[in-house]
Amino acid sequence: MDKIIQKVLISETEILARCKTLGQQITQDYKNKDLVVIGLLKGCIPFLSDLTKNIDLILEVQYMVASSYHGSTTSGEIQIKYDLENPIAGKDVLIVEDIIDTGQTINTIMNLLKARGAKSIEVVTLLDKIANNNLRAKYIGFEIPNEFVVGYGLDFQQKFRNVPYIGILKKEFYDTKGE
Ligand code: IMP
Ligand code: MG
């Protein structure tokens, strides 16, 4: 990975340790609740996997695909490309996200799930660019500066999700593929 990554921001060891702590916290908070974990594909996969192994409760996992229109305008409208399979009315929903940037994606999804009658809705995000939003997730893995990161599920143009830690790509990868 040294050929790809300019700088490691968060190591795999740090991520796994954080997943353990968050999982224990969620286990305490959701005792006696009807927990449905909703993963936002595709970026959530490694995080959801490591996190839920540390949640010692009976729970249901569902997935959604939401993506923002990448048109010429900056207004990011969110489109649901794949929806939940089962109803969530009356359930305690925990949304699992890879990263919160502007907060637009998570905001839209939260409003949608509220309208469907979830009993409670909280967010667990691996990363949060806190300077870019004023939405505070209940559970935050790591606060990061406003830099574009890849790895551990996060992509640049659908690649680099398999990098086992959070890092910053070498500049040449952005330069050669720029839109
Ligand atoms: P938001 O709607 O602005 O909060 O954007 C959230 C989505 O943008 C995330 O789910 C990611 O798919 C993507 N994103 C934001 N920042 C990064 C980054 O640094 N690396 C990779 N994807 C990112
Ligand atoms: Mg995402």
Side-chain angles (χ1 to χ4, degrees):
M1 300 294 170
D2 291 354
K3 291 194 186 105
I4 303 170
I5 299 295
Q6 178 203 310
K7 185 182 169 194
V8 178
L9 270 194
I10 307 163
S11 72
E12 191 174 12
T13 310
E14 287 175 285
I15 296 170
L16 293 177
R18 193 75 186 109
C19 285
K20 191 169 180 183
T21 309
L22 285 173
Q24 288 167 344
Q25 208 178 325
I26 291 164
T27 302
Q28 288 307 315
D29 294 351
Y30 283 84
K31 271 193 179 128
N32 308 315
K33 293 198 173 178
D34 196 356
L35 177 58
V36 180
V37 170
I38 298 181
L40 301 187
L41 294 172
K42 305 170 208 170
C44 74
I45 290 285
F47 180 47
L48 188 143
S49 170
D50 288 329
L51 177 71
T52 53
K53 279 182 262 185
N54 288 292
I55 303 177
D56 190 11
L57 296 171
I58 295 173
L59 56 83
E60 180 185 346
V61 177
Q62 297 200 53
Y63 294 100
M64 277 180 113
V65 178
S67 61
S68 42
Y69 291 111
H70 292 296
S72 49
T73 61
T74 51
S75 75
E77 205 180 319
I78 307 299
Q79 192 187 15
I80 305 298
K81 294 197 161 175
Y82 171 78
D83 209 337
L84 302 178
E85 292 188 314
N86 300 320
I88 50 147
K91 309 271 187 183
D92 295 295
V93 166
L94 181 62
I95 303 170
V96 181
E97 176 63 304
D98 51 2
I99 185 165
I100 299 177
D101 184 5
T102 63
Q104 212 156 15
T105 307
I106 213 73
N107 222 347
T108 306
I109 303 277
M110 284 179 87
N111 288 334
L112 180 74
L113 300 184
K114 245 175 243 167
R116 291 185 187 176
K119 186 175 176 192
S120 68
I121 303 175
E122 296 292 352
V123 175
V124 55
T125 186
L126 175 66
L127 306 174
D128 194 336
K129 295 182 185 173
I130 53 158
N132 294 0
N133 66 77
N134 47 26
L135 185 150
R136 280 295 83 83
K138 179 158 185 190
Y139 308 99
I140 298 173
F142 303 90
E143 297 175 0
I144 61 163
N146 187 19
E147 296 211 57
F148 194 85
V149 293
V150 297
Y152 200 73
L154 289 124
D155 72 301
F156 172 63
Q157 295 182 345
Q158 299 304 328
K159 300 214 170 68
F160 312 108
R161 295 190 197 272
N162 60 315
V163 173
Y165 45 78
I166 300 293
I168 297 171
L169 269 183
K170 285 190 177 168
K171 207 169 165 288
E172 65 217 59
F173 287 93
Y174 299 117
D175 289 348
T176 53
K177 303 243 183 162
E179 295 183 315

